[in-house]
Amino acid sequence: MQVQSFWYFFMIFHTQACLRNIHTLLKPSFCFTLLHLLPKRYCRSLSSSCVTSLIDDARPGVGHLHDPTRQSDFDIVISKIPVGKTDDEVFQRLIHDQACSAVQLSHRLVINLLHRFKNDWKSALGVFRWAESRPGYKHTPDSYDMIVDIMGKMKQMDRMRAFLEEMGDDHLVTLDTIAKAMRRFAGARLWQDAVMIFDDLGTFGLEKNTESMNVLLDTLCKEGKVEQARAIFLELKSHIAPNAHTFNIFIHGWCKVNRVDEAHWSMQEMKGHGYRPCVISYSTIIQFYCHQHNLFKVYELFDEMEAQGCPPNVVTYTTVICSLAKLEEFEEAFQIAKRMKTVGCQPDTLFYNSLIHTLGRVGRVREAVQVFEVEMRKTGVVPNTSTYNSMIAMFCHHALEQKALTVLKDLENSKICKPDVQTYYPLLKSCFKTGKTDNSLSQLLDDMVNKHHLSLDYSAYTLLIHGLCRANKCEWAYLLFKEMINLDIIPKYKTCRLLLDEVKQNKMYDAAEKVEDVMKIL
């Protein structure tokens, strides 16, 4: 039974990509025969588009390569990219593929492809190099910014540096590029490298001015390096003038490291430079006091804002509601929402998202539905992906999976927003909670990857591996683990330990050895 389960799940998630490409390697008659040899339950697990594509390709003289209506250029390129290969293997596959050579390359297509592989740097890099190898095509600054961000996100810092140099040679570096690079360096605990980029701005044709200084200070403060940011600011302020945003950066930074007195001092320093504290300044400190459960200070600052002619706005109220909900101070959060409506402050999408989330947390499902379906429409506030995600998460939390799927369908049909990876987290969790780890789970994953072209990220892989191990499907979990490693997404020790125990229990000794090899480098 274990062996059958292994092959079942292996075929569902890994053979689909092979089957979509197999007509380029084998005769159509073989593809048709292979399709009919597959078990019926497996065919039902494949997406209908995949099955249709296989059948069409198997028919003599028929195939999407000869019929441009069969597949978009995006789908053609996606179908040719091998899973878990090096960037050079991806590049070689694309450059030598006849179908890819016929693709009408555009900047929009390249951006969409890079977005699709934002969590898979090898495929992204292979696509990037393939695109630039095409005659007459030249990357835009936007595509360079995306590849720089992808390399930094996946901790490929040397490659990110190489792209920055390449962009510098072509005069393509913008302040947005610099901001992405700085934040990725800081996120990799290489904050000194972020400072070095600022020092080298002149080599990229950029100025050291208030805007670029703020990017550096903001990067350091968000990583908790507030004292280092302060020292740099003191060194620069004699020849680069700060603005209100500069001081708001420090207010946020000091609150982040739990030094609220310095945040208040930054507010006074702000006044000394001729700038009045704004809603952002106050909201940041209010959020800090919410985290400290100091509601007396919260209301005190509300009064101060009113006295200073800077009344709380929807951002302030939303900030407080979110903070109180995290602390499970739900009734207090509802009082804040009521206060906002009483003073005539107009709600926005983020406010409603927070309100829906909070109502869901306390089980007031009907009220949340009323807000989503009636109140938002009445006030003319348009839902975004996060709004739908909040509704889906709420329904899943209260075991109303069918209603969650209905909201998912509405999101898929929306002309304004589309699902993201976070949309599927609660749905995947529900599959494990209800034991629907066969067709339902496979269908969700198929929709994520093939229908919406979403890349599984670290959180998604971790959720799936943990859930599958607990559902006694460690073969499937191990396949995802290998895919995760091939994408250079490094699991935590806890994930490895759980998987190792399961594969050992199921006598998968080769798998156990490979998991142990990964654990040695963590």
Side-chain angles (χ1 to χ4, degrees):
M1 186 64 186
Q2 292 291 340
V3 174
Q4 290 176 346
S5 176
F6 171 80
W7 282 108
Y8 172 57
F9 294 119
F10 176 82
M11 287 190 291
I12 288 176
F13 286 99
H14 296 271
T15 310
Q16 281 196 72
C18 299
L19 290 174
R20 281 195 295 270
N21 298 332
I22 203 168
H23 67 275
T24 65
L25 305 173
L26 301 171
K27 294 180 180 179
S29 59
F30 181 86
C31 298
F32 193 74
T33 302
L34 179 60
L35 180 65
H36 283 277
L37 287 174
L38 294 174
K40 289 182 179 179
R41 69 186 186 121
Y42 172 54
C43 291
R44 286 195 296 269
S45 298
L46 295 173
S47 65
S48 59
S49 60
C50 179
V51 174
T52 302
S53 176
L54 286 169
I55 294 173
D56 286 346
D57 288 340
R59 293 172 184 158
V62 178
H64 55 256
L65 300 185
H66 304 288
D67 180 3
T69 66
R70 295 302 303 158
Q71 273 190 313
S72 67
D73 287 339
F74 179 86
D75 289 328
I76 288 173
V77 177
I78 291 290
S79 70
K80 303 299 179 181
I81 296 176
V83 178
K85 299 297 183 180
T86 67
D87 56 289
D88 187 61
E89 287 172 318
V90 172
F91 170 71
Q92 294 296 332
R93 173 70 67 87
L94 295 178
I95 200 172
H96 291 113
D97 188 272
Q98 185 177 0
C100 290
S101 298
V103 163
Q104 296 294 314
L105 202 59
S106 67
H107 296 309
R108 179 183 291 274
L109 174 60
V110 172
I111 290 292
N112 288 341
L113 288 168
L114 292 177
H115 181 75
R116 165 66 176 81
F117 294 111
K118 63 182 179 180
N119 295 312
D120 177 3
W121 72 265
K122 295 174 184 176
S123 295
L125 183 54
V127 166
F128 190 89
R129 292 307 187 196
W130 165 72
E132 70 180 2
S133 73
R134 293 286 297 275
Y137 184 84
K138 189 173 180 62
H139 283 298
T140 63
D142 285 343
S143 58
Y144 266 109
D145 282 357
M146 283 196 72
I147 198 69
V148 163
D149 197 44
I150 291 169
M151 294 300 115
K153 178 182 180 182
M154 304 306 295
K155 302 296 187 287
Q156 299 298 309
M157 313 316 290
D158 289 340
R159 287 182 170 85
M160 188 177 79
R161 288 188 184 93
F163 273 116
L164 285 173
E165 292 177 7
E166 189 176 317
M167 293 176 72
D169 292 341
D170 293 333
H171 308 289
L172 296 174
V173 176
T174 66
L175 189 57
D176 283 342
T177 316
I178 295 300
K180 286 180 171 63
M182 282 183 179
R183 283 164 186 152
R184 292 307 181 188
F185 275 128
R189 299 181 181 178
L190 300 171
W191 64 270
Q192 295 93 338
D193 291 64
V195 177
M196 287 175 60
I197 290 182
F198 178 81
D199 291 338
D200 293 339
L201 280 180
T203 64
F204 297 115
L206 299 174
E207 294 183 16
K208 293 181 182 178
N209 55 25
T210 304
E211 188 179 9
S212 57
M213 176 184 72
N214 284 347
V215 170
L216 175 61
L217 298 179
D218 187 54
T219 299
L220 295 175
C221 285
K222 283 179 177 175
E223 291 301 320
K225 302 295 181 182
V226 191
E227 291 185 353
Q228 290 84 344
R230 180 69 184 172
I232 290 170
F233 169 67
L234 293 176
E235 185 179 330
L236 294 175
K237 74 172 187 176
S238 60
H239 55 278
I240 299 179
N243 60 13
H245 182 46
T246 309
F247 297 105
N248 283 332
I249 288 170
F250 279 112
I251 291 170
H252 180 269
W254 290 125
C255 286
K256 184 178 178 66
V257 295
N258 296 319
R259 293 168 63 173
V260 72
D261 290 341
E262 281 90 340
H264 280 290
W265 187 86
S266 291
M267 193 179 285
Q268 295 304 314
E269 187 180 19
M270 184 180 193
K271 295 177 181 177
H273 280 77
Y275 299 105
R276 292 180 61 186
C278 62
V279 170
I280 295 174
S281 315
Y282 283 107
S283 297
T284 302
I285 298 179
I286 284 173
Q287 184 178 30
F288 170 83
Y289 284 126
C290 284
H291 290 161
Q292 300 297 313
H293 293 257
N294 194 339
L295 297 180
F296 174 80
K297 280 288 188 181
V298 169
Y299 289 111
E300 187 178 81
L301 282 173
F302 272 157
D303 294 338
E304 183 178 330
M305 291 177 75
E306 295 282 0
Q308 293 294 325
C310 177
N313 65 5
V314 66
V315 175
T316 315
Y317 288 112
T318 303
T319 297
V320 175
I321 291 170
C322 287
S323 299
L324 293 173
K326 287 181 181 177
L327 297 171
E328 299 187 356
E329 298 280 356
F330 300 116
E331 289 307 317
E332 198 70 40
F334 295 132
Q335 288 301 316
I336 293 292
K338 184 178 180 180
R339 173 172 176 158
M340 179 184 132
K341 293 177 181 179
T342 301
V343 299
C345 182
Q346 292 299 311
D348 62 5
T349 304
L350 294 179
F351 169 80
Y352 279 125
N353 291 352
S354 300
L355 182 58
I356 289 169
H357 172 74
T358 307
L359 288 167
R361 289 279 303 275
V362 296
R364 291 160 66 169
V365 176
R366 289 184 180 179
E367 291 178 59
V369 172
Q370 176 75 9
V371 170
F372 178 65
E373 295 182 350
V374 179
E375 188 174 332
M376 290 186 72
R377 292 180 184 177
K378 185 177 179 180
T379 55
V381 177
V382 179
N384 61 12
T385 299
S386 294
T387 319
Y388 287 98
N389 289 355
S390 295
M391 293 297 296
I392 290 170
M394 178 187 70
F395 283 135
C396 287
H397 180 72
H398 293 285
L400 299 168
E401 290 84 5
Q402 197 54 52
K403 290 188 176 181
L405 291 172
T406 300
V407 175
L408 174 62
K409 189 172 182 179
D410 290 342
L411 174 56
E412 291 175 329
N413 294 331
S414 171
K415 296 180 180 179
I416 300 171
C417 50
K418 294 298 177 185
D420 59 18
V421 177
Q422 285 73 30
T423 306
Y424 285 90
Y425 289 159
L427 294 164
L428 296 173
K429 287 180 181 177
S430 286
C431 286
F432 294 120
K433 190 184 296 184
T434 59
K436 297 177 181 177
T437 54
D438 291 328
N439 290 343
S440 295
L441 182 60
S442 62
Q443 185 61 58
L444 284 173
L445 290 172
D446 183 62
D447 286 348
M448 285 180 70
V449 176
N450 298 321
K451 183 177 180 180
H452 298 296
H453 306 296
L454 298 171
S455 297
L456 298 182
D457 58 10
Y458 166 81
S459 297
Y461 277 114
T462 302
L463 167 63
L464 289 167
I465 291 170
H466 282 240
L468 290 168
C469 282
R470 295 188 179 105
N472 197 29
K473 297 182 184 298
C474 64
E475 301 94 339
W476 190 356
Y478 176 63
L479 289 173
L480 290 171
F481 176 83
K482 288 201 301 181
E483 187 175 290
M484 188 180 186
I485 297 301
N486 286 335
L487 295 175
D488 285 347
I489 302 175
I490 307 301
K492 286 187 178 179
Y493 183 87
K494 179 181 178 182
T495 302
C496 295
R497 182 76 255 175
L498 176 63
L499 181 59
L500 180 62
D501 291 342
E502 290 298 317
V503 295
K504 280 185 174 179
Q505 187 174 339
N506 284 272
K507 300 180 180 180
M508 296 169 60
Y509 300 119
D510 289 342
E513 185 177 343
K514 291 179 181 178
V515 175
E516 287 175 333
D517 288 341
V518 172
M519 293 173 72
K520 290 176 184 177
I521 63 173
L522 294 179

